[in-house]
Amino acid sequence: MPLVFLAVGIWIVWRIYRSDTRELAPLWQWVLPGLRTGVLVGLWVLWLQPQWRTEQEVQQNSQVAIFLDTSLSMTLAADDSPHAEQTRTEAMTRWLSQTPLLEDLRQRHDLILVGLDVEARRMGILEKKKTDEKTPPSISWEELLTPQGTQTRIADSLREWLQSHSQMPLAAILLLSDGTQNAGGEMAPAVEVARTLSVPIHTVGFGSTKPVENLRIYEVEAPVRVQPQDPFTLTAWIQSHGGEISESPQVEKVELWQRQGEGAEELVQTQEGVLGKDGKPVPVTFEVVPPGLGKYTYVLKIPVGEREWLAEDNVREIDVEVVDKKTRILILAGGPTREYQFLLTTLFRDKTMETDVWLQSARPGISQEATKILEAFPESREAMLAYDVVIAIDPDWKQLTPPQIEWLDEWLSRHGGGLLLVAGPVYMGESVGGWLEDPNFQTIRAFYPVEFPKRFSTARQSTYAAEQPWPLDFTREGMEANFLRLGNSLAESTAIWDEFPGVFGYFPTQKRKAGATSLAYFSNPQTGEGEKRPILLATQFYGSGRVLYLGTGEFWRLRSFDPNYFTQFYTQTLRYLSQGRMSQQSSRGRWLLAKERYFPGEVVNVRAMLLDAQLQPLDVPELTADLFLPDGKVRGLKLSAEPQEKGYFKGTFTSLTEGTVRIEITLPESEEKISRKVEIVLSDRERENPQRNQTFLNQLAHETGGQAFLDVSDPQISRLPDTIRDRTRTTTLSASADPTIQRDFLLKMMGLLVGLLAVEWILRRLLRLA
């Protein structure tokens, strides 16, 4: 149709111009209609709106995904020999550093490196080898393969990764693992996805395939502080696994050793425990009388058998401090809530604590179960420094004077106090005129590890209580926090919290502050999603002090579930908060760690608050501390000054070996030392089945069309590159019109049309036709 319009237009132009130029020479009879025809053709082209597109051929290299197991089970022994010196991660690292397999695969494929534990995560890529490449890329396998996952979800991770990379030219997957799957779903969905995409999964196994024999000290329980000559109970939970140990009941001796400071160890007692064949932890109890004041280290030992697979877990340590001093606690409460009443009774019965109370709504002369009843907040800096922990249960902070707020801030930030903040609807719920909105109480709001919604916002006006109880939704950090454990193990504690019906009330929060840690959320989905939900438990360091926030005053409901759980919850919480004050070794500094127990491969963040000889914040760019590792080695730990907080230093380290790590530093201009211990303990899930699951690896490879190699010494591995087909493909990509080219074309066409019309007009003037 456009051609028809063009033809008609040209015919009309030539017919009119033939009549108009009949008296001119033949040359002009052709030139003038030709010019107008050119204009008409140009307008026709513009009407068609031509588009310029480009096509490009892109070659996508064939890909092989190398899945590397980085779960904590890879820190276990690489073989079944007693006291093996090489871990599975070390065996994998050594093999990857030496094998020519990767270079052979790179002849035809890109290699995608994927870490595998709780989830699959991309760690890097080794591109297909180029023709002019002489030196292979350098990879720090030791750093890349650092174990860190507390669970192993092989099937789910493979399925999710394959689904998200279904459009890529994936030729095969090579899985390097011990096959120990202890979380996630079944294998079948992952196999189905791999079959659909025609991606074979080849497996290489690490670790022993034989049941291993092992004894370990599962857990140690003892009070953190005791009174002089006050007998206390120390309980060691021991567990057996594999071999003849699990076949029939067996008696094992457990030794209790004691040392003070850097002194020699002394055998205190020996007890026997009868191990069952089901592998359940068995308690072995010691009744201990402390010899005198000071800090004592109690070492539990099980003699290592000849066939025992792992020796490191036969020894556990715990520190007990003998002090002629009780933990001093100040309770500051806006009103006599149930949380306040039950907590006051619990603390009054604890002989290791002294409790002073300021109940702000009480009349003078009221009777309370407390060491001392106060009628006001401490009225001097010295009086404030007498306390180790302050418990604030929805208090009216506006009753504190500016100097009292300053003393509380100094006690917390400079002297390592512990602050427990319990939310409530009365004084925190004041939307107008409350301390949450008063600019004079910025310091108080800084104590809280969470941020609250602004005045008149929807969150502040929402219902404070749900219609039914909702359990606490713990974060990973909350599950791993020892002071929140209500059982003898992580699994037992998780089961207890899961059975707890939960709480009705909550206080709205906006988010956690930078540097704070969320431990638990209110689980009702109607209050928000993810981190937008109300925070029920959060903690942070405030200077050298510890702060714990409870977003509800309903932990008293633990009593209806089990009265002991309420007592245990608050006792452990107050010990956690009082560590800064009770464990202070020097007036010139202290160590600040978020927790005392870490997993192998987990990054330990270390902070220290240090003062100089004049008790002023130490002003140096960096320091070096000593790390005494479980394997007996000593190495330096660099501590860098924090620019925003003078006197505070931070550093990080990672330990792959189970045991106790001691951090120690000598204070500048002094021979005085401060030290801190950290326990490195393997996750219960990762230890539950320590032998390699070769059946799982064989089945995964067989059902996806891959090959299963028993170990890295299998000679068939070298032939693997020849069995993987090259899935390199070329794709033609069409690019959209370039707007720059389009604009240039329009400008040129307009210029051409204007030029043709101008030439025609000039010629017509010269020829006296216009």
Side-chain angles (χ1 to χ4, degrees):
M1 185 63 69
L3 289 174
V4 173
F5 283 116
L6 178 62
V8 171
I10 293 175
W11 179 80
I12 294 174
V13 167
W14 280 88
R15 186 172 183 83
I16 293 173
Y17 272 66
R18 276 288 188 182
S19 174
D20 197 26
T21 61
R22 183 178 303 168
E23 298 179 357
L24 299 178
L27 173 65
W28 304 118
Q29 292 180 10
W30 286 94
V31 171
L32 290 175
L35 291 172
R36 183 53 62 99
T37 301
V39 172
L40 187 62
V41 171
L43 292 174
W44 179 77
V45 170
L46 291 177
W47 177 49
L48 293 179
Q49 296 182 349
Q51 302 284 326
W52 278 264
R53 296 183 179 273
T54 59
E55 290 187 349
Q56 181 181 6
E57 290 189 348
V58 177
Q59 178 176 298
Q60 291 180 291
N61 293 335
S62 177
Q63 297 176 345
V64 173
I66 313 293
F67 275 70
L68 307 167
D69 194 336
T70 54
S71 64
L72 293 179
S73 65
M74 297 297 287
T75 63
L76 298 176
D79 54 56
D80 59 352
S81 60
H83 323 315
E85 296 182 355
Q86 184 175 236
T87 67
R88 297 168 188 179
T89 295
E90 291 170 345
M92 185 191 300
T93 300
R94 179 175 299 179
W95 180 68
L96 288 171
S97 302
Q98 299 174 354
T99 181
L101 177 66
L102 301 186
E103 286 303 298
D104 293 341
L105 288 172
R106 287 185 62 226
Q107 299 293 334
R108 293 189 296 172
H109 313 276
D110 288 341
L111 305 185
I112 303 175
L113 305 179
V114 183
L116 171 67
D117 42 65
V118 178
E119 60 183 0
R121 63 190 183 282
R122 179 164 171 163
M123 297 192 298
I125 184 171
L126 295 174
E127 295 183 349
K128 180 179 177 180
K129 192 171 183 179
K130 300 177 181 178
T131 55
D132 58 346
E133 181 180 319
K134 298 180 180 179
T135 305
S138 177
I139 297 180
S140 177
W141 291 109
E142 184 175 352
E143 181 179 347
L144 201 66
L145 299 179
T146 301
Q148 54 187 289
T150 57
Q151 299 176 1
T152 310
R153 298 171 63 250
I154 297 178
D156 285 354
S157 297
L158 285 170
R159 174 182 55 80
E160 293 167 2
W161 196 88
L162 281 168
Q163 289 174 339
S164 63
H165 293 75
S166 59
Q167 302 302 317
M168 305 303 292
L170 192 62
I173 287 178
L174 178 60
L175 171 63
L176 278 61
S177 171
D178 57 13
T180 303
Q181 172 163 284
N182 49 45
E186 299 294 329
M187 183 194 304
V191 170
E192 183 64 27
V193 176
R195 285 177 174 175
T196 302
L197 299 177
S198 300
V199 178
I201 300 177
H202 308 281
T203 63
V204 180
F206 290 85
S208 172
T209 58
K210 301 178 181 178
V212 295
E213 180 175 309
N214 194 50
L215 279 171
R216 70 160 174 155
I217 300 178
Y218 179 78
E219 185 66 270
V220 178
E221 295 179 355
V224 178
R225 290 176 297 276
V226 296
Q227 298 292 313
Q229 301 303 315
D230 188 5
F232 66 90
T233 300
L234 189 152
T235 304
W237 295 80
I238 60 176
Q239 185 183 40
S240 63
H241 182 88
E244 298 179 0
I245 296 178
S246 296
E247 296 300 323
S248 60
Q250 181 174 332
V251 177
E252 285 294 334
K253 291 183 178 181
V254 182
E255 301 173 347
L256 176 64
W257 296 73
Q258 172 187 284
R259 72 169 184 268
Q260 185 175 20
E262 299 298 326
E265 291 183 354
E266 175 185 355
L267 181 62
V268 177
Q269 296 181 38
T270 300
Q271 298 284 358
E272 293 182 343
V274 180
L275 296 171
K277 60 181 180 179
D278 54 4
K280 289 185 177 180
V282 176
V284 178
T285 303
F286 298 86
E287 294 296 329
V288 183
V289 178
L293 296 175
K295 179 179 286 188
Y296 294 87
T297 299
Y298 289 93
V299 185
L300 284 301
K301 298 181 180 180
I302 300 178
V304 180
E306 293 182 357
R307 292 176 298 173
E308 192 163 355
W309 176 59
L310 193 63
E312 289 82 357
D313 56 4
N314 286 43
V315 180
R316 291 287 292 273
E317 294 184 358
I318 190 169
D319 290 336
V320 177
E321 188 174 13
V322 183
V323 294
D324 193 11
K325 175 181 180 293
K326 297 183 178 181
T327 304
R328 292 288 309 278
I329 298 174
L330 169 62
I331 298 183
L332 169 62
T337 63
R338 289 190 179 183
E339 194 84 356
Y340 166 83
Q341 296 176 38
F342 288 127
L343 177 58
L344 193 61
T345 301
T346 298
L347 298 182
F348 185 73
R349 295 173 180 175
D350 194 323
K351 296 181 181 180
T352 65
M353 300 183 184
E354 291 183 355
T355 308
D356 294 350
V357 176
W358 179 28
L359 182 60
Q360 294 175 307
S361 62
R363 296 179 179 178
I366 190 175
S367 176
Q368 297 282 288
E369 291 182 321
T371 304
K372 186 178 180 180
I373 300 175
L374 305 179
E375 296 183 0
F377 196 78
E379 298 181 352
S380 68
R381 179 179 282 103
E382 290 72 19
M384 185 70 242
L385 292 177
Y387 294 103
D388 302 307
V389 178
V390 172
I391 303 175
I393 305 176
D394 191 16
D396 181 8
W397 291 111
K398 300 183 76 172
Q399 294 190 33
L400 272 64
T401 64
Q404 289 173 330
I405 295 176
E406 181 183 345
W407 300 334
L408 178 61
D409 179 84
E410 181 182 336
W411 167 84
L412 182 61
S413 62
R414 295 286 298 276
H415 298 280
L419 180 59
L420 178 61
L421 301 167
V422 183
V426 180
Y427 295 104
M428 289 185 70
E430 290 181 326
S431 59
V432 180
W435 62 267
L436 273 178
E437 305 294 342
D438 194 328
N440 296 321
F441 290 86
Q442 179 62 37
T443 301
I444 295 295
R445 290 192 291 273
F447 296 158
Y448 287 76
V450 296
E451 293 185 5
F452 302 102
K454 300 299 182 182
R455 181 169 49 188
F456 301 130
S457 70
T458 303
R460 286 289 295 276
Q461 297 177 25
S462 63
T463 304
Y464 182 81
E467 296 180 356
Q468 66 183 55
W470 288 89
L472 280 69
D473 185 7
F474 285 93
T475 63
R476 181 181 63 83
E477 293 81 3
M479 295 177 63
E480 296 173 0
N482 290 331
F483 70 92
L484 295 179
R485 288 194 180 182
L486 299 181
N488 296 319
S489 66
L490 176 59
E492 184 178 343
S493 178
T494 302
I496 293 173
W497 281 111
D498 287 343
E499 292 180 23
F500 176 51
V503 298
F504 290 84
Y506 63 91
F507 194 84
T509 57
Q510 192 171 24
K511 61 179 181 179
R512 65 174 176 86
K513 291 180 180 176
T517 303
S518 299
L519 303 177
Y521 292 93
F522 191 62
S523 59
N524 185 353
Q526 295 181 354
T527 60
E529 297 181 354
E531 295 187 359
K532 298 295 184 181
R533 294 173 295 171
I535 298 174
L536 294 186
L537 283 167
T539 184
Q540 72 172 356
F541 276 111
Y542 186 85
S544 61
R546 297 172 185 260
V547 179
L548 179 66
Y549 167 77
L550 307 185
T552 179
E554 295 185 32
F555 282 94
W556 59 269
R557 296 186 185 277
L558 284 167
R559 290 177 54 84
S560 60
F561 186 49
D562 189 321
N564 293 326
Y565 291 152
F566 177 81
T567 301
Q568 184 178 352
F569 171 78
Y570 269 106
T571 299
Q572 293 176 172
T573 295
L574 294 177
R575 286 175 179 171
Y576 165 77
L577 292 172
S578 64
Q579 287 181 26
R581 297 279 294 172
M582 302 303 290
S583 63
Q584 186 173 358
Q585 302 168 359
S586 169
S587 60
R588 289 188 52 190
R590 61 176 58 88
W591 291 106
L592 309 173
L593 276 80
K595 53 186 179 179
E596 287 70 45
R597 183 173 296 179
Y598 293 82
F599 295 121
E602 186 177 2
V603 176
V604 181
N605 294 298
V606 178
R607 294 182 75 225
M609 191 279 289
L610 302 174
L611 305 176
D612 59 22
Q614 289 72 43
L615 299 184
Q616 297 300 315
L618 187 62
D619 188 11
V620 295
E622 65 180 40
L623 296 166
T624 301
D626 291 323
L627 279 180
F628 296 85
L629 301 176
D631 56 9
K633 298 179 181 179
V634 181
R635 64 181 178 88
L637 172 63
K638 180 182 177 182
L639 299 175
S640 303
E642 297 185 11
Q644 66 275 18
E645 291 186 273
K646 188 174 293 186
Y648 286 87
F649 300 82
K650 63 180 179 180
T652 60
F653 73 90
T654 302
S655 176
L656 301 180
T657 308
E658 281 192 274
T660 301
V661 177
R662 181 162 58 91
I663 316 168
E664 185 176 274
I665 190 171
T666 302
L667 298 174
E669 303 176 12
S670 170
E671 296 298 322
E672 191 176 2
K673 297 181 179 180
I674 59 171
S675 62
R676 182 69 178 272
K677 290 182 179 179
V678 176
E679 275 195 286
I680 310 297
V681 182
L682 187 63
S683 165
D684 294 338
R685 284 192 174 186
E686 292 297 294
R687 186 193 292 275
E688 190 174 15
N689 296 298
Q691 66 266 23
R692 186 207 311 177
N693 190 346
Q694 188 61 43
T695 302
F696 178 91
L697 297 176
N698 289 344
Q699 184 179 355
L700 183 63
H702 174 73
E703 295 191 9
T704 60
Q707 302 179 63
F709 303 102
L710 291 180
D711 53 54
V712 295
S713 63
D714 191 327
Q716 297 296 324
I717 292 182
S718 60
R719 302 176 186 174
L720 180 62
D722 298 329
T723 66
I724 300 178
R725 61 172 176 159
D726 189 343
R727 299 189 68 173
T728 300
R729 67 188 180 195
T730 301
T731 305
T732 302
L733 301 179
S734 297
S736 59
D738 189 337
T740 303
I741 297 176
Q742 193 79 4
R743 184 174 60 253
D744 291 343
F745 169 74
L746 292 175
L747 290 175
K748 291 176 181 179
M749 285 298 297
M750 292 299 296
L752 177 62
L753 294 177
V754 171
L756 291 175
L757 290 173
V759 170
E760 181 188 353
W761 180 79
I762 293 172
L763 291 176
R764 292 179 71 87
R765 294 287 292 180
L766 294 174
L767 297 172
R768 297 181 180 181
L769 292 178

